[in-house]
Amino acid sequence: PSTVMPEHLLVKVAYSTASSPTPIEAASLHASGVRSSGVEDLTRILAEWCKETNSVSAAGRTSNDNVKMTFPEGDNAFTPAQQWHLAEYKPNKKTGVASWESSYTRFVDGEHPQTIAINSKSGKPIQVNTVIGHILEGLALGRPVPLARLANVSTPPNQSEWDELANVETSNAEMDVVKSKVPMAEYLRPIMGDMFIDTPYDERDEEDVLKYRNWCHLLKWYQSLRRADYIPVFGE
């Protein structure tokens, strides 16, 4: 009933859940204002729906490699020695603050990206991947980011995926993600193939689109860590 979960909140939750790379968590719903005693059941239903509709699904995974990127235990944040040389802080003319900064600050202060997406500063829901992008933008500008916490919501490349992305960069000097801003489609061309990249979006195979979206997600991690001069560690 609307007294438990207002319609406007339901719309926000549905929008953010559909875009979340990981299933919605009960804690995120509680923090977003859901006061239903059946929140656990709601979480389960949303997780099943997310599994069916999520763009970064199991079908889009690029590798079954179990050698995952690992991070030091605890909530310690990684701080780049300096900001990426091509990163530029662009404040909003009205607020004087960059569009990504609210999401970044709330995450660093302990909020879950799902909660931030549902209850964004503007009052309108945004995608969880947008929040993740905001956090990684902070990293590019030299801000500290608790990477272990972020990895719980947004899966970074495993070792074989990292190596495949690194191979693109080392095989072509024009793909150096530290020295320049490389278009994602061109960077992923060697991985996805010319046929996919050159095919109009509405004519692409759905399974290949899922794979491409996942590679874009992994590439965002790769670019961000490379530009922050972060050396990843992998382990079981």
Side-chain angles (χ1 to χ4, degrees):
S2 60
T3 54
V4 175
M5 189 172 186
E7 185 176 349
H8 73 276
L9 181 55
L10 177 60
V11 172
K12 288 183 176 182
V13 169
Y15 180 85
S16 297
T17 297
S19 66
S20 178
T22 56
I24 197 79
E25 297 181 13
S28 298
L29 293 178
H30 281 304
S32 300
V34 177
R35 296 293 178 261
S36 171
S37 59
V39 70
E40 296 297 337
D41 288 335
L42 178 59
T43 302
R44 177 181 53 78
I45 293 170
L46 288 171
E48 292 174 355
W49 179 57
C50 182
K51 185 177 180 180
E52 294 176 2
T53 61
N54 201 338
S55 60
V56 184
S57 64
R61 289 302 298 174
T62 65
S63 168
N64 292 321
D65 192 338
N66 291 322
V67 186
K68 300 177 180 179
M69 191 179 294
T70 60
F71 301 91
E73 294 184 6
D75 201 30
N76 296 327
F78 170 74
T79 304
Q82 59 187 8
Q83 73 173 50
W84 181 43
H85 69 104
L86 292 178
E88 183 180 358
Y89 185 82
K90 298 179 180 180
N92 181 285
K93 291 182 179 180
K94 292 183 178 180
T95 65
V97 176
S99 60
W100 56 268
E101 203 154 6
S102 174
S103 296
Y104 166 82
T105 301
R106 289 171 64 182
F107 175 72
V108 171
D109 287 344
E111 279 195 72
H112 196 290
Q114 293 171 347
T115 304
I116 298 170
I118 295 170
N119 288 334
S120 72
K121 183 179 180 180
S122 69
K124 297 180 181 179
I126 59 177
Q127 295 189 349
V128 176
N129 282 332
T130 299
V131 175
I132 293 167
H134 289 166
I135 296 164
L136 292 176
E137 193 159 352
L139 185 68
L141 281 155
R143 304 288 184 88
V145 172
L147 295 175
R149 274 185 56 219
L150 185 60
N152 287 332
V153 184
S154 171
T155 307
N158 58 36
Q159 186 162 32
S160 64
E161 292 164 340
W162 181 275
D163 290 345
E164 191 162 359
L165 289 166
N167 184 60
V168 173
E169 188 173 15
T170 56
S171 299
N172 186 342
E174 293 182 359
M175 295 294 115
D176 191 321
V177 300
V178 176
K179 291 183 178 179
S180 60
K181 296 181 179 181
V182 183
M184 280 195 169
E186 289 308 308
Y187 194 98
L188 295 175
R189 183 179 288 274
I191 294 175
M192 293 300 303
D194 292 335
M195 182 175 293
F196 174 83
I197 297 298
D198 294 334
T199 298
Y201 183 82
D202 58 356
E203 296 178 18
R204 290 175 175 174
D205 176 77
E206 183 177 354
E207 187 171 338
D208 286 339
V209 169
L210 291 176
K211 182 179 178 182
Y212 177 68
R213 287 177 180 172
N214 190 62
W215 272 117
C216 289
H217 164 81
L218 298 172
L219 181 54
K220 287 178 183 178
W221 265 99
Y222 178 82
Q223 290 176 331
S224 298
L225 296 185
R226 286 275 293 114
R227 290 164 179 171
D229 198 23
Y230 181 87
I231 300 175
V233 175
F234 299 92
E236 297 293 338

